[in-house]
Amino acid sequence: MNIVMAMFGAASQGLTWAILALGVYLTFRILNFADMSCEGSFALGGCISAVLIVKMGWNPYLTLIIATLAGMAAGFLTGFLHTKLKIPAILSGILTMIGLYSVNLRIMGQANTSLLGHKTTVSLLKDILPEASSLGMKDSTMQTWVTMGIGIVFSITVIALLYWCFGTEIGCCIRATGNNEVMVRAQGVNTDQMKTLGLIISNGLIAFSGALVTQSQGFADVKMGVGAIVIGLASIVIGEVMFQKPKNFAFRLFSIVIGSIIYRIIIAIVLQLGLNTDDLKLFTAVVVAIALSIPNLKKNKAYVRKGVN
Amino acid sequence: MLKITNLYKTFNPNTVNEKLVLNGLNLDLKDGDFVTIIGGNGAGKSTMLNMIAGVHFPDEGSIVLDGEDITYLPEYKRAKYLGRVFQDPMMGTAANMEIQENLALAYRRGKKRGLSWGITREEKELYVEKLKVLDLGLETRLTNKVGLLSGGQRQALTLLMAALQKPKLLLLDEHTAALDPKTAQKVLDLSEQIIAENSLTALMVTHNMKNAIQYGNRLIMMYEGRIIYDVSGEEKKKLHVSDLLEKFQSASGGEFANDRMILS
């Protein structure tokens, strides 16, 4: 029973983290840009949301919007560093990430902020619904259900928005920019603008996810973004492996959400099996490294075989 | 329509790799000219095309296209006037995108791009019509990824994309060099056909002297960053490969034409 409950909780957790994975997908797969700033903007979203709720008494839903806007600004900064100041992609992201660490500390004035006793997106919704006991379930179970519901609604909304966005003329240009910049410029598109736009959308989503995660876990921490890119990648890779890279874009985004849920379930299982939480990041890193290298190793094998013939 | 005046360009200035690639280049194109450009490696042929396209900016000189000075206009801004096909078949198209998506990108060259849908239904019909002309069977593969196509097919598609919005000038930078002879011939014929049908002005860099004589109405030979031979009309038609080789040798002071030029 214990492990079932843990997996159930993990699934709802996976849904709140899924939007982070979608954001990472935009930069890593679509723009072909390994954007490290996501670690900073994830924590940024969480910190802003927590401070607005705790210190300013804002509506938790409203803080999601502010967090998203802040994330977009972070994305713009990375884009500016890369396209205007010509700093290499990976370094631009790292600079934003490092800078945001201090910014996040400044925002909170301390290393973490607890939301205990404050309204969150989850508790607001739970208040509207009937009492957990009257529905014949434990309060914590109810909490998980509501979190899951919110996660599903937000994930579907984001998928729909992204599907629309990347089907538009500008969206097509962003996709093409990640594919072949020379060609896109030859077709009269400012690729610098497209890259920046992609980073803005991606980091906006990631900060949104950070805010959502903060509210569902009940605290924000300046270190909450550490490893976010790897967690995002793990979700993407799991989704791709499970669904064999579906052709349809919406379905592909959907597979990432499923990937994120499965990642959380895997984590819940290995923790139940006795893995030390300290080793979790190492475990994730190894899994992602293996998953990312499999396609390349397969290619090499085929090449060697060809060479022998 | 295109006027290049006194163009100079040095790569890696003040280093051991310093190389003067364009040395006071002048060129004047008339509307409807189809010019073939030949010259040895490092003569500045591709650099000239890249200057016109805005990939590099010159150190000195000016490029005026149809009365507009485009010398320092960013690449993406002048793209609305230019159709380009590259030497590498991978360069002209986006491999992970569908054939129709590539065409849709080209169809919007020079137009404002907004939040309306990336491809409309009417467009798809247009693309089918255009692809039929290529006679490569691509009209039934609109939703295939371009990465699945062969080099020749991709070059043909790039050509089509370059002419989809009529460019003021078509730049062909050794666009058949990476193809096998038969496919190269087909792409060349297609280029000629598209240029004639749309009455385009075109510049075509080639290493193949026979092609340089066979196609176009004007031929220029470049050497060390300037034009050393410029011939057009009847005189060009009468040229032989041996004439060109002779010209090249006298210009380069007896230095032998490189193997690639002799073999072609």
Side-chain angles (χ1 to χ4, degrees):
Chain A
M1 193 58 208
N2 200 5
I3 196 157
V4 173
M5 276 317 292
M7 280 170 63
F8 180 52
S12 77
Q13 211 186 350
L15 279 164
T16 54
W17 284 80
I19 296 163
L20 160 80
L22 291 172
V24 173
Y25 177 76
L26 293 192
T27 47
F28 194 77
R29 282 279 192 251
I30 294 185
L31 264 189
N32 202 8
F33 187 115
D35 177 31
M36 294 294 295
S37 49
C38 70
E39 309 219 333
S41 47
F42 185 75
L44 177 71
C47 296
I48 286 183
S49 178
V51 165
L52 287 179
I53 291 171
V54 174
K55 295 199 178 142
M56 323 268 280
W58 281 41
N59 180 308
Y61 284 91
L62 210 56
T63 68
L64 293 179
I65 298 171
I66 306 297
T68 308
L69 291 176
M72 291 168 103
F76 172 79
L77 184 67
T78 306
F80 181 82
L81 289 173
H82 177 58
T83 61
K84 293 283 174 239
L85 307 183
K86 309 287 175 206
I87 297 171
I90 191 105
L91 196 54
S92 319
I94 290 174
L95 291 176
T96 307
M97 174 186 85
I98 289 296
L100 281 177
Y101 187 85
S102 297
V103 171
N104 291 336
L105 269 175
R106 280 279 180 192
I107 289 172
M108 293 203 294
Q110 60 208 38
N112 48 51
T113 303
S114 168
L115 294 180
L116 206 67
H118 290 275
K119 293 285 168 215
T120 65
T121 43
V122 179
S123 70
L124 271 186
L125 192 62
K126 221 172 87 195
D127 290 348
I128 305 170
L129 298 169
E131 282 283 317
S133 51
S134 69
L135 292 171
M137 59 171 100
K138 273 195 282 183
D139 194 57
S140 60
T141 317
M142 173 100 172
Q143 173 103 9
T144 311
W145 273 114
V146 173
T147 311
M148 198 177 252
I150 289 172
I152 290 173
V153 170
F154 280 136
S155 298
I156 289 175
T157 312
V158 168
I159 288 178
L161 272 175
L162 287 180
Y163 183 77
W164 167 75
C165 176
F166 284 91
T168 64
E169 291 172 336
I170 291 180
C172 284
C173 294
I174 298 180
R175 281 191 291 148
T177 300
N179 217 233
N180 183 347
E181 272 187 58
V182 175
M183 171 263 192
V184 178
R185 270 198 299 273
Q187 302 305 339
V189 179
N190 185 344
T191 47
D192 286 353
Q193 260 174 20
M194 293 304 132
K195 279 193 216 167
T196 310
L197 199 57
L199 286 166
I200 288 174
I201 300 173
S202 161
N203 280 286
L205 288 178
I206 290 165
F208 178 87
S209 177
L212 209 55
V213 167
T214 290
Q215 295 191 24
S216 68
Q217 73 188 9
F219 67 92
D221 189 295
V222 279
K223 291 205 183 78
M224 67 188 279
V226 175
I229 191 168
V230 182
I231 292 170
L233 285 179
S235 311
I236 294 168
V237 171
I238 293 171
E240 280 175 352
V241 169
M242 285 205 37
F243 295 93
Q244 302 292 319
K245 289 202 181 184
K247 249 189 101 177
N248 180 291
F249 185 62
F251 193 52
R252 194 173 272 207
L253 295 176
F254 180 72
S255 78
I256 295 167
V257 174
I258 302 293
S260 172
I261 294 172
I262 291 172
Y263 170 76
R264 287 291 150 190
I265 291 177
I266 293 172
I267 296 295
I269 291 172
V270 293
L271 287 180
Q272 287 282 328
L273 292 177
L275 185 84
N276 190 326
T277 41
D278 290 346
D279 300 332
L280 215 52
K281 292 240 189 310
L282 178 63
F283 174 77
T284 308
V286 170
V287 168
V288 171
I290 292 172
L292 286 178
S293 57
I294 285 174
N296 300 328
L297 292 176
K298 270 187 188 160
K299 235 183 274 166
N300 283 350
K301 228 189 220 165
Y303 179 73
V304 169
R305 225 177 287 136
K306 226 191 245 165
V308 171
N309 294 339
Chain B
M1 59 113 33
L2 177 79
K3 193 166 172 58
I4 298 178
T5 322
N6 254 330
L7 219 54
Y8 283 89
K9 177 72 182 179
T10 305
F11 282 127
N12 308 314
N14 306 320
T15 69
V16 281
N17 294 322
E18 182 172 294
K19 176 152 176 48
L20 178 70
V21 255
L22 292 183
N23 185 10
L25 181 85
N26 287 294
L27 179 66
D28 210 338
L29 285 193
K30 282 198 275 299
D31 244 328
D33 265 352
F34 178 6
V35 183
T36 55
I37 305 167
I38 53 171
N41 291 330
K45 312 180 297 292
S46 290
T47 308
M48 176 172 82
L49 254 56
N50 282 336
M51 296 272 163
I52 298 172
V55 180
H56 307 299
F57 296 126
D59 299 332
E60 254 180 79
S62 74
I63 304 169
V64 177
L65 183 65
D66 245 359
E68 186 186 347
D69 188 336
I70 59 165
T71 317
Y72 297 105
L73 198 67
E75 187 182 0
Y76 71 91
K77 278 192 184 160
R78 64 175 90 180
K80 60 171 174 274
Y81 307 128
L82 305 171
R84 286 162 72 192
V85 185
F86 309 88
Q87 178 173 4
D88 181 354
M90 306 297 143
M91 293 282 263
T93 45
N96 290 349
M97 293 175 80
E98 297 168 359
I99 292 178
Q100 57 179 10
E101 287 175 326
N102 273 275
L103 285 162
L105 277 172
Y107 189 61
R108 286 165 179 73
R109 184 161 49 78
K111 292 183 182 167
K112 193 120 187 76
R113 292 164 209 254
L115 291 177
S116 48
W117 208 240
I119 310 176
T120 62
R121 193 171 305 150
E122 304 85 74
E123 269 174 70
K124 286 186 195 170
E125 284 161 23
L126 172 77
Y127 300 155
V128 170
E129 289 309 307
K130 295 272 182 187
L131 285 168
K132 268 187 192 152
V133 177
L134 297 184
D135 197 22
L136 293 169
L138 296 181
E139 63 273 12
T140 57
R141 301 172 63 186
L142 275 183
T143 55
N144 276 21
K145 294 266 154 55
V146 169
L148 298 170
L149 306 185
S150 69
Q153 287 173 325
R154 284 181 79 159
Q155 282 309 61
L157 182 62
T158 311
L159 257 173
L160 189 63
M161 285 164 59
L164 207 50
Q165 283 297 336
K166 189 183 170 182
K168 284 185 177 175
L169 182 62
L170 179 65
L171 302 174
L172 307 171
D173 189 0
E174 288 194 57
H175 66 310
T176 59
L179 307 176
D180 66 78
K182 207 174 146 203
T183 315
Q185 191 58 48
K186 186 154 189 195
V187 170
L188 273 172
D189 289 338
L190 194 66
S191 313
E192 193 180 38
Q193 184 190 336
I194 284 177
I195 289 168
E197 270 172 14
N198 301 291
S199 44
L200 302 177
T201 311
L203 283 174
M204 178 171 94
V205 174
T206 177
H207 261 111
N208 187 314
M209 293 203 220
K210 249 187 276 166
N211 289 339
I213 296 168
Q214 185 189 348
Y215 294 94
N217 65 333
R218 182 173 167 193
L219 180 150
I220 59 180
M221 184 187 282
M222 289 182 70
Y223 182 73
E224 290 190 342
R226 51 170 78 179
I227 293 166
I228 53 162
Y229 185 50
D230 187 341
V231 56
S232 54
E234 283 304 309
E235 198 187 337
K236 170 179 180 285
K237 281 189 198 140
K238 281 186 234 139
L239 277 176
H240 287 286
V241 172
S242 53
D243 302 330
L244 289 179
L245 278 175
E246 212 171 285
K247 281 277 171 215
F248 190 79
Q249 280 192 46
S250 64
S252 57
E255 188 186 307
F256 232 92
N258 69 49
D259 304 356
R260 210 165 144 201
M261 292 183 72
I262 294 169
L263 287 173
S264 54

